[in-house]
Amino acid sequence: MPPQFVDDKSPICIPFILNRLKLHHQQHQQQQQTSPDDNHPSPPPPPLIIGLNGLQGVGKSTLVAPLAEALASQGVPTLVCSIDDFYLTHEEQVKLARENPDNALWQVRGEPGTHDITLLKSVLSSLLSHAPTSIPQYDKALFAGQGDRLPPHLWKPINTNLSNPSTSTSKPLQVIILEGWCIGFRPLPPPLLFQKYASPSRTLQNHRLEHLLAINEKLREYDEVINSLLDALIHIDAEDTEYVYEWRLEQEEHLRLARGDPNAGMTKEQVIKFVDAYYPAYELYSEGLREGLFKDKPGAQLRMVVGRDRKVKQVIEI
């Protein structure tokens, strides 16, 4: 039986988040003091945006719920959203795959280039100004597992009660946690990508160099939009990146047990093929993330290194 999830990460993450939030509010207050406007009340500080990066199957999605609950219990309204909800529509995914038939990395969703970064930027900008916003919802089960974005009337409304502060009982968001397997990845200079491609690897040589360069170029947009808006980053790293294959197998076993269907979920061969579609990005960009995302904000990145059992073995603030 696959191991049950044990949350040993929230007790590490909560103090880190609260400390970054305190610094965030102090900075906002200083800005208000240097440019006061006596004719208008001070607006609430924009939410603190925290990126959450982790390998597939490490427990990102399971962690964010207790994180949000713990923060809310301390009077910190928190929104959790996933980059998965910003995948291209099914029609757009099909178009991307058709226009790049030889690039296996764009035949399935996941890699940079398969998300709607313009939509993500629009949503985050609205959230930062506390404007009424709708969070897209994505159903991975549609189109036989290819997935599709749900219509806008099914999106999650946020800040709808803040439009009339005199009657609203809702409090403005203070924290946004944006989780995703590629959050914080930065594109590589081509010479460094060439060097990695020429070195022994698990999956890089399965792809043509120009296809990896295309992914790398798309990642620039992610860097400009997502990373530029992040105030802090939580990185759940692993002692061995290849644990991701075993963790994904365990997730499929959980699915079979939950449904009581021995045929549910992916087979071992399907899991390997699935993870192989993501693994080139791990091989290209994980090292850079470990070195630190923020050059001008020391202490804004929390890196937790976990073992095969997903339990934290080392904690590093960068």
Side-chain angles (χ1 to χ4, degrees):
M1 177 179 293
Q4 298 298 312
F5 174 76
V6 177
D7 181 19
D8 64 339
K9 300 173 186 63
S10 288
I12 300 169
C13 295
I14 293 297
F16 170 79
I17 294 173
L18 292 176
N19 180 58
R20 300 313 303 181
L21 183 63
K22 179 181 177 181
L23 295 173
H24 181 69
H25 285 174
Q26 288 174 348
Q27 183 180 29
H28 177 76
Q29 290 172 355
Q30 291 170 357
Q31 292 171 348
Q32 294 298 312
Q33 290 170 358
T34 56
S35 56
D37 186 349
D38 296 332
N39 297 320
H40 297 90
S42 298
L48 179 82
I49 302 185
I50 300 175
L52 176 61
N53 175 293
L55 297 172
Q56 293 171 306
V58 76
K60 295 185 305 298
S61 301
T62 312
L63 170 64
V64 290
L67 268 183
E69 291 171 4
L71 290 168
S73 70
Q74 299 193 42
V76 180
T78 300
L79 170 69
V80 173
C81 54
S82 171
I83 196 172
D84 288 1
D85 284 322
F86 293 88
Y87 277 127
L88 297 175
T89 65
H90 180 259
E91 182 179 355
E92 291 167 335
Q93 289 179 45
V94 170
K95 182 174 182 290
L96 177 68
R98 187 186 300 124
E99 291 175 348
N100 300 272
D102 296 331
N103 190 340
L105 297 168
W106 279 340
Q107 299 308 303
V108 294
R109 65 175 187 262
E111 289 283 349
T114 65
H115 301 88
D116 190 334
I117 299 301
T118 301
L119 176 61
L120 177 57
K121 181 179 181 179
S122 173
V123 168
L124 290 178
S125 297
S126 293
L127 292 173
L128 283 171
S129 62
H130 299 288
T133 310
S134 293
I135 309 297
Q137 303 295 294
Y138 191 91
D139 188 341
K140 296 179 180 179
L142 295 177
F143 291 96
Q146 293 180 20
D148 198 7
R149 189 186 304 158
L150 296 179
H153 72 274
L154 295 176
W155 294 8
K156 181 180 179 180
I158 303 294
N159 294 336
T160 54
N161 294 328
L162 295 178
S163 55
N164 188 352
S166 62
T167 61
S168 174
T169 58
S170 299
K171 294 182 179 180
L173 283 175
Q174 293 191 39
V175 172
I176 297 170
I177 300 175
L178 176 62
E179 65 97 355
W181 73 280
C182 62
I183 298 293
F185 284 169
R186 283 214 150 122
L188 299 176
L192 181 54
L193 193 149
F194 298 156
Q195 180 182 336
K196 287 182 176 290
Y197 188 72
S199 302
S201 67
R202 180 179 177 116
T203 61
L204 294 183
Q205 286 75 33
N206 295 341
H207 304 277
R208 297 215 300 260
L209 179 60
E210 57 263 35
H211 294 162
L212 295 173
L213 287 169
I215 297 295
N216 192 66
E217 186 60 33
K218 278 292 184 181
L219 190 58
R220 296 187 188 282
E221 187 179 1
Y222 291 57
D223 190 31
E224 293 168 0
V225 172
I226 301 175
N227 296 340
S228 65
L229 292 177
L230 294 181
D231 298 297
L233 178 74
I234 297 172
H235 178 202
I236 310 176
D237 201 359
E239 292 177 325
D240 186 339
T241 306
E242 292 195 17
Y243 290 158
V244 65
Y245 289 90
E246 298 172 77
W247 289 338
R248 280 296 316 189
L249 282 169
E250 290 176 354
Q251 285 186 323
E252 299 306 304
E253 181 62 21
H254 270 297
L255 178 64
R256 284 187 279 273
L257 291 173
R259 295 188 178 181
D261 180 359
N263 297 316
M266 292 186 284
T267 65
K268 181 177 180 179
E269 292 72 21
Q270 289 170 329
V271 165
I272 292 173
K273 183 178 179 180
F274 177 81
V275 177
D276 277 351
Y278 293 80
Y279 207 84
Y282 294 140
E283 296 192 276
L284 289 174
Y285 307 116
S286 294
E287 183 179 357
L289 192 60
R290 291 169 184 143
E291 293 173 354
L293 179 63
F294 309 106
K295 304 306 180 186
D296 58 344
K297 292 187 288 188
Q301 180 169 331
L302 176 69
R303 178 174 171 236
M304 296 178 289
V305 183
V306 304
R308 171 63 183 84
D309 57 3
R310 298 183 181 84
K311 293 181 181 179
V312 177
K313 309 299 182 185
Q314 187 179 15
V315 179
I316 306 159
E317 286 197 13
I318 304 172

